[in-house]
Structure formats: C-alpha cells, structure tokens
C-alpha cells in the first residue's frame, strides 16, 4: 500500500504536536498549521488550565515515542488527595497502595513546548504558526488558513487531521462533508471555573504539601490545587455560574474575601492578592462534546478535544487525547498504512471509549464535590486501599481509569460502577 504523501494537521496543541511526532516516525510528511504564535518565542497565551494531571494513559503514549522521561522530569508527582475541611483540617488519602500509581502535575505550556520541539526535530515536519484554519474540503483535500496580515493560503493534502480543540474548524468541515449523518451535541455545565495562584514563600518553597492534589469539597462547589514545578500552586475554583454560592453572587472585593474567609479559610492568607487575581482571571466554561463519528473515509479524522471535549473532573481529557494519537499510530501500522482501514479502526476503538470517559468525568464531578468530604467516601477509599493491599488483582475505579491503560475506558466504567454499587 502506497503511503499518502502529505498530511495536513490543524492545531498544534497537546494532541496535535504529539500526533505530528507519531506520523513523522511512520515516515509521513506532516504540514501543521496552528492559529497561535509560537509560545517558545513570544510566551504562552493559554487562557485555560495552567497545569494538568498526566497519568498512565498519557505516559504510555509519550513512552511510545520516547518522550515520557523528558516530560516527567518537569512534573511534580501527586501521590494522593489532600482534603481541606472548612475549618482547615487536613485529611490525606493516597491514590493507591502501589508505588507506581500516582498522577503528575505538568505545566500545559511547558508540555506543549516539549512536544513542539520534539515534532520539529523530526524529518518531514513543518509547523506554521499564526495560521488559523477557516475552512476545509475533505474530498478536494484542501485547507484554507488566514494569518494576522489577513492573507488566505490554500493548502493541499491527501489526509486532513483535526486536532484543533473544542471549537474545531475541522469538525465543522466534517459536518459539511457528512451532511445529516453527522450529529454533535455539547452538554454545558451550569458550573464555570476560575484559576487563582498561590505563590511560594520567601525561600521559594511550596506553601502546602507539594506531592498532593488539594481538594476543598463544598458540595455544590469546590476548589482544587495542583503544584507547579516553580513552587506555586494553581487553584481552580468550580462554582455555579448563577444562584446561591455562585460566581454571579461574588461581584466585589468584600463579597469575594468574605466568601473565602467563610469557605476556604486556610487559603485566604496564602493569597494576599486574591481580589486582583479574581478580577484578572476570566471565568471558563465547561462542556462535554459528543459527536457521531470521528472520521471521513480515508480522508479526514478528528482527534483530542476536537472529537470529544470532556469536563476535567477525572483529569483525563489530555490523557484520552494522547491515547487517540497512539491508537491511530498503531492502527496505521497494523493496517499497513491503508488509511481507510486505519481510520475505521481508530473510530471503532476510540468512539465508545471517549463516550465512556466523558460519562465517567461527569459522574466524578458529583463524587468530588459532594462525596470527598463525606465520612462515607473516606471510609470507602480506605476500604479500597485495604483491598489493594490484600489482593494484587483488585483495582478501584479511580485506579482502573487512571493507572491501567490496558483496561479500556468502557471496561473501567462498567467494572468501576459495579464495584462502587457493591
Ligand atoms: P487543545 O489543547 O485545545 O489544542 C488545540 C490547538 O488547536 C490549540 O493550540 C489551538 O490554538 C489550535 N487551534 C484551534 N483552532 C484552530 C484553527 N482554526 N486553526 C489552527 N489551529 C487552531 N486533561 C487531563 O488529562 N488532565 C488534567 O488535569 C486536565 N485538566 C484540565 C483542566 C481544565 C480547567 C480544562 C478546561 C481542561 C483540562 N484537561 C485536562 C483537558 C485538556 O486540557 C484537554 O483535553 C487537552 O488540552 C486536549 O488537547 P487538544 O490538543 O485536543 O486541544
């Protein structure tokens, strides 16, 4: 089977830059267009989640191209949850009793830069920054982009891959190509999120336990904090957009500081500039995207958030996106570069699994904000940890999803929920 000569990849975020490495390793010429400027030159202008939890599914994909160690070297291990009660009391629960089962906090910007630099080192790769895709025609193999000077460029390719995130232009082209047979639906959360930073102390040290994911679970809202490599923490407050205890209620300095004093008393002294941050940092919106297919003949595919944006409550969106890239890489090898078969394989494998992680993430939001502070949840976690010590083949639902990439998300969902019910 002759390999297509040219791949056009739209979006050099986390999935796009890793996928470029995979495709280049298979010998393809990959042209990449990315709407943002190159963050390695102008600094990162992200707009959402400063850091991310990387776990075994993502690490496995990175390992397949030898990038896992470079990434892990710049991440902070988080070995358990540190729960903060309203009175500032701390309860620590390890994620697992097994030594290698923990999650890793990594800067989104740094991870993207490591992957971009790795992609650029490969033969046959060219990355064009500040080129935003506006339109694509899969049958003609054409993609159109515009740059800040407003020039439109027309690109030609044999295969078009969309890794351009939740507002994907390539998904729009998929809708146009497939007609009525293509459906997509985004379920928006009534909660939004805001990021806030805790700076290190005068000596540059972390101000809370560094090897943990911190959680302030308050039932209808919650805050989490992940450590960064530079001694800071990024806190993310998830709250209803409207109604009681919502963003809408917190409109001035007095209201914000009083709210923190009442509900997050131990954080307030660690954020002397709370209100400046509050004003500067926008409220992000959260949604779950499900669409009916990720592929079009042998011509085009969607990967990552472009195919299946999920809410961040299992810390799996990027991990699942990296699994997409690995799946397509393996499918191309298995089907000897027959793109029609490889894309069918990719779609059949990833579609049900992406739906499963989307549902798991929605369910976990309820568990995190409602149950983590609940004594029954704490006892359940302790029971799970005891079972892990006693039985080498017992895995909690969290462990199945997070630490066991050999178990597909669909199976982790089925087994995990059956165990929870029991
Ligand atoms: P993106 O990262 O969105 O990348 C898309 C890229 O395409 C961007 O570079 C963008 O500039 C570019 N682009 C967009 N449109 C165009 C266009 N028209 N033309 C050219 N380029 C374009 N996941 C985890 O695994 N663990 C976590 O802990 C975690 N925490 C999260 C916390 C929050 C608050 C949020 C919102 C998400 C979190 N996620 C997490 C999910 C994770 O961020 C996404 O799943 C991941 O970024 C998906 O990668 P992607 O490459 O598909 O999309």
């Amino acid at each position: 089977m002759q390999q297509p000569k040219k791949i056009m990849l739209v979006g050099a975020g986390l999935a796009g830059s890793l996928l470029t490495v995979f495709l280049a390793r298979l010998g393809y010429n990959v042209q990449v267009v990315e709407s943002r400027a190159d963050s390695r030159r102008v600094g990162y202008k992200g707009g959402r989640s400063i850091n991310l939890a990387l776990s075994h599914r993502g690490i496995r994909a990175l390992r397949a191209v030898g990038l896992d160690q470079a990434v892990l070297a710049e991440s902070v291990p988080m070995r358990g949850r540190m729960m903060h009660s309203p009175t500032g009391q701390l309860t620590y629960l390890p994620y697992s009793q097994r030594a290698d089962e923990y999650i890793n906090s990594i800067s989104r910007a740094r991870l993207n830069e490591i992957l971009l630099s790795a992609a650029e080192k490969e033969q046959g790769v060219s990355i064009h920054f500040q080129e935003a895709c506006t339109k694509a025609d899969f049958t003609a193999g054409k993609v159109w982009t515009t740059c800040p000077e407003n020039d439109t460029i027309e690109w030609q390719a044999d295969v078009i891959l969309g890794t351009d995130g939740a507002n994907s232009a390539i998904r729009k082209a998929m809708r146009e190509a497939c007609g009525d047979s293509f459906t997509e639906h985004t379920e928006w959360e009534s909660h939004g999120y805001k990021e806030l930073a805790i700076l290190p102390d005068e000596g540059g040290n972390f101000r809370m336990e560094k090897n943990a994911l911190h959680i302030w679970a308050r039932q209808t809202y919650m805050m989490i904090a992940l450590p960064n490599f530079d001694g800071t923490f990024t806190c993310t407050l998830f709250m209803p957009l409207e109604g009681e205890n919502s963003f809408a209620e917190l409109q001035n300095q007095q209201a914000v500081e009083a709210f923190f004093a009442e509900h997050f008393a131990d954080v307030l002294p660690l954020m002397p500039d709370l209100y400046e941050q509050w004003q500067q940092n926008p409220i992000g919106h959260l949604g779950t995207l499900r669409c009916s297919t990720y592929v079009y003949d042998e011509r085009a595919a969607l990967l990552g958030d472009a195919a299946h944006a999920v809410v961040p409550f299992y810390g799996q969106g990027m991990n699942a996106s990296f699994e997409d890239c690995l799946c397509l890489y393996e499918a191309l090898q298995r089907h000897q570069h027959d793109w029609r078969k490889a894309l069918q394989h990719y779609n059949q494998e990833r579609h049900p699994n992406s739906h499963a992680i989307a549902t798991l993430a929605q369910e976990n939001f309820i568990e995190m904000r409602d149950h983590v502070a609940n004594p029954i949840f704490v006892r359940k976690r302790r029971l799970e940890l005891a079972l892990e010590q006693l039985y080498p083949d017992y895995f909690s639902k969290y462990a199945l999803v997070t630490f066991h990439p050999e178990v597909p998300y669909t199976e982790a969902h089925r087994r995990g929920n059956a165990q929870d019910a029991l």
Side-chain angles (χ1 to χ4, degrees):
M1 185 64 61
Q2 218 194 348
Q3 294 189 11
K5 291 181 199 70
K6 226 184 249 175
I7 314 281
M8 182 85 217
L9 200 146
V10 178
L14 299 177
S17 47
L18 178 61
L19 185 59
T20 304
V21 178
F22 274 123
L23 294 170
R25 294 277 170 96
L26 291 175
Y28 291 103
N29 285 326
V30 195
Q31 270 178 339
V32 184
V33 286
E34 163 58 48
S35 55
R36 288 191 199 145
D38 185 352
S39 66
R40 292 163 301 174
R41 297 200 176 89
V42 300
Y44 191 77
K45 294 187 186 71
R48 80 187 166 137
S49 86
I50 285 148
N51 52 20
L52 303 139
L54 171 69
S55 50
H56 287 36
R57 292 176 195 268
I59 295 170
R60 180 168 73 150
L62 292 168
R63 192 179 304 127
V65 282
L67 289 170
D68 54 324
Q69 289 310 319
V71 171
L72 289 173
E74 296 198 32
S75 67
V76 184
M78 298 181 288
R79 296 182 187 277
R81 298 181 175 100
M82 183 70 83
M83 279 121 59
H84 296 240
S85 79
T87 55
Q89 199 190 341
L90 300 179
T91 310
Y92 177 74
L93 281 174
Y95 279 120
S96 164
Q97 291 295 0
R98 301 180 179 102
D100 66 332
E101 294 189 349
Y102 54 87
I103 58 178
N104 304 276
S105 176
I106 174 88
S107 141
R108 178 188 288 275
R110 201 45 212 131
L111 175 56
N112 208 165
E113 288 170 10
I114 293 171
L115 296 177
L116 281 172
S117 298
E120 273 181 349
K121 277 195 200 128
E122 299 291 331
Q123 259 200 335
V125 170
S126 54
I127 307 180
H128 307 268
F129 292 96
Q130 294 188 288
E131 289 289 346
C133 170
T134 50
K135 207 170 97 175
D137 179 338
F138 299 156
T139 318
K142 285 190 199 304
V143 165
W144 289 269
T145 62
T146 55
C147 62
E149 290 82 39
N150 260 336
D151 297 333
T152 298
I153 304 182
E154 183 182 293
W155 309 74
Q156 187 74 43
D158 301 301
V159 178
I160 298 167
L161 299 175
T163 47
D164 49 346
N167 297 318
S168 169
I170 299 303
R171 195 173 68 249
K172 186 164 170 265
M174 182 81 72
R175 204 183 306 137
E176 282 159 14
C178 297
D180 288 346
S181 67
F182 183 84
T183 56
E184 67 171 84
H185 175 66
T186 302
E187 212 175 311
W188 291 105
E189 291 291 328
S190 52
H191 285 63
Y193 71 95
K194 191 183 271 287
E195 291 187 308
L196 302 162
I198 296 177
L199 299 183
D201 67 16
E202 300 73 33
N205 306 306
F206 287 96
R207 285 177 182 261
M208 302 187 295
E209 166 57 49
K210 79 165 191 182
N211 292 121
L213 188 150
H214 295 258
I215 306 181
W216 294 258
R218 302 289 184 263
Q219 298 207 310
T220 57
Y221 55 95
M222 69 167 184
M223 187 160 75
I224 62 168
L226 274 70
N228 296 309
F229 211 54
D230 61 2
T232 59
F233 279 91
T234 304
C235 302
T236 312
L237 172 63
F238 297 96
M239 258 202 337
L241 296 164
E242 309 276 340
E244 200 188 339
N245 292 327
S246 69
F247 283 113
E249 273 190 345
L250 304 182
Q251 292 293 356
N252 56 51
Q253 182 159 3
Q254 205 191 357
V256 172
E257 287 177 357
F259 185 80
F260 269 67
E262 187 179 347
H263 303 285
F264 307 119
D266 57 343
V267 182
L268 194 54
L270 309 181
M271 275 184 202
D273 59 343
L274 168 63
Y275 192 61
E276 285 97 89
Q277 292 197 50
W278 188 269
Q279 283 180 303
Q280 266 164 28
N281 300 347
I283 297 169
H285 294 262
L286 299 164
T288 303
L289 164 76
R290 291 181 176 88
C291 56
S292 54
T293 183
Y294 303 158
V295 300
Y296 182 78
D297 292 342
E298 73 280 27
R299 291 287 190 167
L302 302 169
L303 295 94
D305 276 15
H308 48 69
V310 300
V311 290
F313 305 112
Y314 236 114
Q316 286 294 310
M318 163 190 64
N319 287 285
S321 302
F322 284 0
E323 263 196 346
D324 289 352
C325 302
L326 180 62
C327 175
L328 181 56
Y329 171 71
E330 290 176 346
L332 283 164
Q333 293 176 90
R334 180 180 300 189
H335 297 287
Q336 292 159 3
H337 301 273
D338 180 328
W339 275 79
R340 187 179 286 271
K341 285 189 186 151
L343 291 185
Q344 259 168 24
H345 178 123
Y346 162 76
N347 197 44
Q348 270 162 20
E349 194 170 315
R350 295 311 294 163
H351 199 265
N353 282 302
S354 311
H355 277 243
I357 189 56
T359 309
L360 276 160
Q362 288 174 314
E363 290 168 357
N364 209 42
F365 186 27
I366 298 163
E367 173 151 322
M368 280 179 91
R369 60 174 215 240
D370 286 4
H371 303 165
V372 169
N374 179 332
I376 292 175
F377 173 84
V378 175
R379 281 164 59 195
K380 176 180 156 242
R381 271 308 292 157
R382 294 215 163 108
L383 173 63
E384 287 175 333
L385 293 169
L387 288 170
E388 280 178 3
Q389 265 178 333
L390 279 172
Y391 302 105
D393 57 349
Y394 169 83
F395 306 103
S396 68
K397 179 163 84 173
Y398 186 84
L400 287 168
V401 172
T402 310
F403 306 125
H404 290 276
E406 75 285 2
V407 179
Y409 285 128
T410 46
E411 182 60 11
H413 190 209
R414 192 192 64 74
R415 266 165 66 180
N417 280 4
Q419 287 174 188
D420 275 1
L422 185 65

